[in-house]
Amino acid sequence: MKKLPRFIAAAALAILLTVLLDHIFIPKYISENQDGSITREFYIQADRPEVIFLGASTVHYCISPDYLYKCSGITSYDRSNASQTLWQSYYLLKDTLTVSKPKLVALDVSFLKNGEEFIEEPSNRKVIEHMRDPVSKLGAVLSSAGDFEQPAGYFIPVLRYHSRWKDLKEEDFRYAFNAPCVTYDGYLMDSSIPEEQHIYEPEPIDDPSFAPKAEEYLDRIIELCKNEGIELLLMKTPTFVNSWHTEYDEALEKKAGSNGIRYINFSPLADEMGIRVRTDYIDDGEHMNISGAHKFTEYLGEYINNNYAPASDEDEVLKKKWSEKLGAYEKAAAEGMAAWEKAYEKYADGAE
Amino acid sequence: MSYTSLAFAAFTLGALIIYYLMPSRFRYLVLLAFSYAFYIITCGKYVIYILVTTCSTYIATRFMGGIYRRQKEYLAENKETLTRDEKKQYKEKSKSGARRIMVLTLLLNFGVLGVLKYADFTIANINMLRLTLFNSTGFLGFLNPVLPLGISFYTFQSMGYVIDVYFGRYEAEKNPFKLALYVSYFPQIIQGPISRFNELSKTLFAGAAFNSESFCIGLYRILWGLFKKLVVADRLAAYVDGAVNHYTEAGGTYLLLAVFFYSMQIYGDFSGGIDITIGVSKLFGVSVAENFDRPFFSKSVAEYWRRWHITLGTWFKDYIFYPITVSKRVLELSKKSREKIGEGFGKRLPIYLAMFTVWFATGLWHGAEWRYVVWGLLNFVILTFSTEAKPLYDRLNGLLKWEGSFAHRCFAVFRTFWIMSFLRVFDLSSGGVKMALVIIKKSLTDICPLTLENIELLGLDRQELTVGCIGILIMLIYSLRQRKGSIEEAILKLPIAARWGFTALACMAVVIFGSYGMGYNARDFIYLQF
């Protein structure tokens, strides 16, 4: 017992060192791969969001929570990530519920067709490693980590990233404990228009069924929302990729109907929103630039207000906070739109 | 479950907690349960082999123990009535019974080891002979047996115990659980050391009380083992593999560097693993035999083999070398050879015969391939040559007048290091003896300038090379400091701030610079395959 204080001090020192190394070695996702910051920034930026968006990368390119607030008064956060699987969406939702309870969860269903064969370590890392609720995080790790990964590395990141000692940059030290926010409530702003856009015709599919594991977790999300009294919107963001089929829409409409929730595929409504493939996307009709994002966000805000009406302006403090955030966003968006317009002039030919 | 994995750390932690929560007299049972759990987790159904070895060892030694007990009782009861010859006759009869049991046990266990380890090697050679001599292509099929974890180590350890009991060096263990623990003790099952029952049993079954000093020494020893294995050995392995895989294109100097690095790699790998074994054992209050004594400071090959893989060397010496040299036939041979060849070489001939057997067996023990046999026999040739050429050395040293000087010691250490390093090329060359000879020849004759670019192409970039070299330097400094006594104990005597600072730095070095996890090829301990 005499040595207990010394043992406690040694354990504390060990924990302190580990935390220090974790913070230095974990990738910062500041100057590149910024989508890796979305999970981390949720705990910093999100102010009691009424709507939470979940899904794959198309979501954080086409929905701007700040612009949504401006257009429709809805507070939200975009918790989508590149290649976010349905099981990751489920655990992110559980993690969200430990922080705040949204009124509506809007889930992009693009990844319903993708099973475990789509698991990739970088994507897993970006989604999971900054999650704060340990139980949700453990669930996400166990359901996501491939055989090639070491689950402990998600909780003690230096075990995974120690080999970065050769590649550490100044930003790894500078932002070790106070990394700045690089997204706008999860939205990644992009102003580019590519030189060419290729739109491929849909290919016929043999098996229109969803990946069993993805469907299992969709059911879990539905169940969780029901139990928590949260509205759930299943949506397909507007894309022109050839991997989505009407059979999927039919199956989802059936599932939504039987659970008393809504499903909407926004892709056929792109024209109505004024979205143009040539100038509103950054890559072959999949991820939107700022112009496309603003058009879709405005439409989505109207859709949510018409069908769910979650917007409330009872809380003056919250309103003030969002207005301040909006100021910063509008400044960045103005620059983004100016850059987009410049690109538009260059590639406007054939914009229709 | 590798000794360097987090799973092993968690497993050991679980074992430690339960071990120290148990009353002292039951602690060996905790170790036994965890040892079997470790074996089953790692090898599954192959646990049957270790069970067979344990059961046969227990039964055989108990029977032998019974024979010796009855002999003792009988002789005591009939002390007055029996003549000296009758006593001798009775003893011989008892010994003969015990011998039969020992031989049967050795045959069974070495038979299992032989079939599992050498059946395919034998089949390959039979096929080759049939093809060469009779041009027959009717090849025998391979058995492809799975080699259970640590079979060579636990078989040698158990059979050493059987032989010791046979010779009456100590009594047979009555408690089957204690014997089972001796055979399967998990920290040493993967790569030894090959412990003696009378030494290991002193602490293994004692259920020692928690001792914080011993515990800390154990932790430092584990840390040092991890450093050697993860920071040095596994890092250098990338270059060694790269150079050896491209030995036909790589310049001689690059191969020479690979030969040097491989010596460092195998030392870091094997002695690092042993450090972990000794360290983990210390956490349980168990003392395991040391297996290395700064071997790269040896001044002769014979000395090197007394300081490298000590327990294997001692095993071969005690159970093969000495029994051969004192056997009736060899003594007769010795007598005849002294008469015919002369007192000098004639006296040494039987010793060489025993040495030949030992080194042939040592080669085979390291692997079922001819390159290992050649490696073993080359050791024998060098050792024999060293003995025979000793008068010549002495005369040369007399002329140079440098014997015992610092320069002479350095020369001797340098010479021994490189002889052993070149011998190790046979271990390194998966392509066989021919490949080993090409590598040795090229590294000695094809001199070319080294460039960092080419070293990087072979597997180590500038930063990795720097860390590897610093790691080697630290190993050297550690070895030099070891001459003054235990470094772990010296660390414990440091002022607390210095000790904690050192510990933090050492931990960070292993965590940051260790070659583990994704981005690195996870490596098994090299001696795991033996």
Side-chain angles (χ1 to χ4, degrees):
Chain A
M1 290 308 281
K2 241 168 65 183
K3 293 191 173 169
L4 192 65
R6 200 176 278 188
F7 174 76
I8 293 169
L13 179 71
I15 293 168
L16 212 69
L17 267 177
T18 311
V19 171
L20 175 72
L21 293 179
D22 279 345
H23 279 78
I24 292 171
F25 279 82
I26 199 165
K28 304 298 177 292
Y29 303 125
I30 303 289
S31 52
E32 52 195 14
N33 294 313
Q34 292 174 331
D35 56 315
S37 293
I38 295 173
T39 304
R40 173 178 62 85
E41 291 178 13
F42 169 73
Y43 311 99
I44 306 165
Q45 295 197 61
D47 267 325
R48 279 173 281 161
E50 293 159 312
V51 181
I52 286 292
F53 297 105
L54 295 168
S57 58
T58 53
V59 180
H60 59 243
Y61 277 102
C62 74
I63 300 170
S64 163
D66 297 83
Y67 196 67
L68 186 68
Y69 180 75
K70 182 186 174 185
C71 301
S72 51
I74 299 166
T75 59
S76 63
Y77 192 87
D78 200 332
R79 293 203 82 176
S80 64
N81 303 89
S83 304
Q84 186 185 104
T85 58
L86 267 288
W87 45 97
Q88 290 167 351
S89 304
Y90 171 75
Y91 287 108
L92 276 173
L93 178 57
K94 286 193 89 171
D95 176 74
T96 305
L97 291 174
T98 63
V99 178
S100 68
K101 190 171 166 181
K103 291 177 186 168
L104 172 69
V105 169
L107 173 70
D108 179 61
V109 289
S110 309
F111 259 61
L112 255 176
K113 55 191 169 43
N114 297 338
E116 284 175 310
E117 67 277 12
F118 282 83
I119 285 179
E120 279 182 345
E121 201 233 354
S123 309
N124 287 349
R125 289 265 158 199
K126 286 176 184 175
V127 180
I128 301 167
E129 66 191 5
H130 284 291
M131 280 171 74
R132 279 195 187 166
D133 174 44
V135 180
S136 307
K137 188 171 181 175
L138 184 65
V141 170
L142 295 178
S143 62
S144 304
D147 296 338
F148 47 86
E149 290 184 73
Q150 199 174 50
Y154 282 91
F155 295 91
I156 309 170
V158 68
L159 294 179
R160 168 64 187 89
Y161 292 117
H162 67 100
S163 55
R164 290 187 71 234
W165 63 268
K166 288 185 281 184
D167 308 315
L168 289 179
K169 294 179 191 141
E170 190 240 337
E171 74 171 27
D172 288 303
F173 296 94
R174 197 200 309 169
Y175 301 135
F177 287 95
N178 58 345
C181 292
V182 289
T183 73
Y184 298 95
D185 289 292
Y187 168 62
L188 284 185
M189 192 184 289
D190 194 308
S191 305
S192 62
I193 300 173
E195 282 185 32
E196 286 177 59
Q197 297 266 24
H198 302 284
I199 304 301
Y200 303 96
E201 283 299 310
E203 289 165 0
I205 48 163
D206 298 330
D207 180 13
S209 57
F210 297 122
K213 184 171 174 178
E215 198 165 3
E216 180 202 326
Y217 275 90
L218 173 62
D219 292 337
R220 285 204 200 184
I221 291 171
I222 294 171
E223 195 62 29
L224 180 62
C225 287
K226 266 186 200 165
N227 293 341
E228 293 287 333
I230 300 167
E231 299 256 33
L232 176 64
L233 166 65
L234 303 181
M235 64 175 184
K236 166 78 184 67
T237 53
T239 61
F240 293 87
V241 292
N242 61 351
S243 55
W244 193 258
H245 302 275
T246 50
E247 288 89 337
Y248 294 146
D249 289 329
E250 286 160 14
L252 279 162
E253 272 158 15
K254 207 171 151 192
K255 186 177 275 288
S258 64
N259 285 289
I261 55 177
R262 283 191 179 81
Y263 166 69
I264 180 165
N265 182 352
F266 286 109
S267 298
L269 306 169
D271 258 357
E272 196 183 314
M273 299 173 209
I275 291 171
R276 304 284 174 265
V277 181
R278 181 67 193 89
T279 54
D280 290 334
Y281 286 86
I282 59 173
D283 54 355
D284 302 341
E286 190 170 10
H287 299 96
M288 285 181 181
N289 56 31
I290 185 168
S291 163
H294 279 182
K295 288 172 188 169
F296 176 62
T297 302
E298 194 176 344
Y299 189 91
L300 182 68
E302 212 177 305
Y303 180 86
I304 292 171
N305 274 335
N306 288 342
N307 293 288
Y308 299 96
S312 59
D313 33 292
E314 297 150 11
D315 190 335
E316 285 301 318
V317 180
L318 191 64
K319 260 178 81 176
K320 200 181 161 206
K321 269 188 181 177
W322 272 87
S323 301
E324 279 167 13
K325 272 207 285 191
L326 193 56
Y329 176 78
E330 283 189 317
K331 199 178 157 201
E335 285 170 20
M337 280 308 289
W340 175 82
E341 276 160 16
K342 215 170 162 186
Y344 182 83
E345 281 167 23
K346 196 171 167 189
Y347 300 117
D349 291 346
E352 296 305 308
Chain B
M1 201 193 306
S2 166
Y3 286 172
T4 56
S5 66
L6 283 174
F8 181 73
F11 183 87
T12 306
L13 184 66
L16 277 168
I17 291 168
I18 299 173
Y19 184 80
Y20 283 113
L21 283 176
M22 278 282 167
S24 177
R25 65 181 188 281
F26 295 130
R27 285 184 183 158
Y28 76 92
L29 290 171
V30 175
L31 281 181
L32 177 65
F34 273 88
S35 295
Y36 267 81
F38 178 83
Y39 208 87
I40 290 167
I41 291 167
T42 317
C43 288
K45 62 184 177 186
Y46 298 105
V47 71
I48 190 78
Y49 290 105
I50 201 168
L51 275 171
V52 167
T53 299
T54 307
C55 292
S56 60
T57 303
Y58 181 74
I59 294 166
T61 50
R62 289 288 283 145
F63 267 112
M64 286 195 283
I67 289 172
Y68 291 142
R69 198 192 62 245
R70 280 194 296 277
Q71 172 191 295
K72 204 174 163 186
E73 285 167 3
Y74 179 80
L75 291 177
E77 279 168 18
N78 302 286
K79 199 178 168 185
E80 309 299 325
T81 52
L82 289 175
T83 63
R84 201 173 166 181
D85 280 350
E86 280 170 335
K87 281 180 190 169
K88 198 179 169 190
Q89 220 173 3
Y90 188 82
K91 275 185 185 174
E92 268 170 19
K93 199 181 156 196
S94 300
K95 197 85 182 167
S96 157
R99 191 181 304 124
R100 270 199 296 273
I101 294 170
M102 177 192 71
V103 170
L104 271 176
T105 317
L106 295 185
L107 279 177
L108 169 73
N109 285 282
F110 283 121
V112 170
L113 177 66
V115 169
L116 292 176
K117 201 166 169 180
Y118 304 105
D120 279 356
F121 175 62
T122 313
I123 289 169
N125 284 298
I126 291 171
N127 286 342
M128 180 70 90
L129 271 176
R130 286 175 61 171
L131 182 69
T132 318
L133 299 178
F134 312 110
N135 208 18
S136 162
T137 50
F139 293 139
L140 297 172
F142 288 110
L143 302 178
N144 296 320
V146 174
L147 209 57
L149 181 77
I151 187 168
S152 297
F153 288 102
Y154 73 69
T155 304
F156 272 52
Q157 183 164 297
S158 315
M159 294 309 102
Y161 166 69
V162 170
I163 296 168
D164 284 346
V165 171
Y166 165 75
F167 280 116
R169 287 176 188 143
Y170 38 79
E171 284 188 7
E173 173 57 55
K174 291 183 184 108
N175 185 332
F177 300 111
K178 285 185 177 174
L179 183 75
L181 174 60
Y182 167 68
V183 178
S184 63
Y185 179 51
F186 78 91
Q188 65 167 32
I189 193 79
I190 290 185
Q191 52 177 8
I194 303 167
S195 298
R196 298 300 175 89
F197 185 81
N198 57 333
E199 288 166 7
L200 187 62
S201 60
K202 282 177 200 161
T203 49
L204 187 62
F205 313 134
F210 180 82
N211 178 314
S212 63
E213 195 172 305
S214 171
F215 198 86
C216 287
I217 289 173
L219 287 176
Y220 282 124
R221 196 71 192 259
I222 294 169
L223 191 61
W224 177 232
L226 289 172
F227 179 87
K228 284 199 272 187
K229 165 73 177 150
L230 297 175
V231 180
V232 183
D234 286 0
R235 173 163 276 102
L236 298 180
Y239 176 82
V240 174
D241 289 352
V244 170
N245 289 339
H246 298 92
Y247 76 102
T248 49
E249 306 105 73
T253 317
Y254 293 95
L255 292 175
L256 191 67
L257 185 65
V259 171
F260 172 71
F261 278 173
Y262 186 62
S263 285
M264 296 297 125
Q265 180 198 338
I266 197 162
Y267 175 69
D269 185 286
F270 190 19
S271 72
I274 293 292
D275 285 329
I276 295 171
T277 294
I278 292 172
V280 170
S281 296
K282 277 212 174 292
L283 304 183
F284 292 102
V286 175
S287 293
V288 170
E290 291 287 347
N291 219 16
F292 291 88
D293 179 19
R294 302 180 301 116
F296 291 148
F297 290 97
S298 305
K299 291 187 279 295
S300 68
V301 174
E303 186 190 348
Y304 172 88
W305 280 113
R306 288 194 295 272
R307 298 168 72 163
W308 174 283
H309 207 342
I310 297 167
T311 56
L312 181 73
T314 318
W315 197 97
F316 276 116
K317 193 172 73 186
D318 291 352
Y319 302 119
I320 296 186
F321 182 80
Y322 286 147
I324 291 177
T325 47
V326 298
S327 67
K328 271 184 194 166
R329 281 183 192 166
V330 171
L331 287 176
E332 279 166 18
L333 177 74
S334 173
K335 200 177 163 189
K336 279 182 191 167
S337 61
R338 267 184 291 175
E339 283 166 11
K340 293 196 173 167
I341 310 170
E343 272 299 311
F345 188 71
K347 197 178 172 185
R348 293 194 294 274
L349 187 65
I351 295 171
Y352 293 151
L353 196 71
M355 274 171 66
F356 178 86
T357 315
V358 164
W359 283 106
F360 184 82
T362 307
L364 268 183
W365 186 88
H366 278 82
E369 285 180 56
W370 281 113
R371 62 189 166 113
Y372 290 110
V373 177
V374 171
W375 169 84
L377 294 181
L378 279 173
N379 271 289
F380 162 73
V381 169
I382 291 167
L383 285 165
T384 312
F385 178 78
S386 303
T387 315
E388 289 304 313
K390 195 171 181 301
L392 194 71
Y393 288 146
D394 291 344
R395 215 178 307 156
L396 197 68
N397 289 332
L399 283 174
L400 291 169
K401 290 180 183 162
W402 72 335
E403 185 141 34
S405 67
F406 180 70
H408 181 236
R409 288 204 305 269
C410 287
F411 167 75
V413 166
F414 179 85
R415 176 195 59 196
T416 308
F417 174 81
W418 280 104
I419 288 173
M420 296 319 297
S421 295
F422 280 114
L423 282 181
R424 241 175 249 116
V425 174
F426 288 89
D427 173 25
L428 184 61
S429 306
S430 54
V433 175
K434 205 174 160 187
M435 177 179 167
L437 293 174
V438 172
I439 292 176
I440 293 171
K441 190 185 167 195
K442 269 188 94 173
S443 43
L444 288 173
T445 56
D446 182 19
I447 310 296
C448 59
L450 287 172
T451 67
L452 285 174
E453 290 73 23
N454 286 340
I455 291 175
E456 186 170 350
L457 278 177
L458 291 173
L460 276 185
D461 63 26
R462 189 188 293 259
Q463 294 107 316
E464 297 280 355
L465 181 67
T466 309
V467 172
C469 291
I470 291 172
I472 292 172
L473 197 67
I474 291 173
M475 288 205 306
L476 175 74
I477 294 167
Y478 186 97
S479 291
L480 287 170
R481 173 61 185 73
Q482 256 183 329
R483 285 190 300 189
K484 291 183 188 169
S486 163
I487 291 180
E488 292 80 20
E489 285 171 20
I491 294 167
L492 280 183
K493 286 176 191 153
L494 288 173
I496 193 158
R499 177 158 40 115
W500 285 26
F502 171 83
T503 310
L505 274 176
C507 289
M508 284 203 290
V510 171
V511 169
I512 295 170
F513 299 115
S515 308
Y516 62 90
M518 287 183 75
Y520 289 98
N521 290 325
R523 280 173 182 279
D524 284 331
F525 284 96
I526 295 173
Y527 266 67
L528 177 70
Q529 64 187 302
F530 304 140

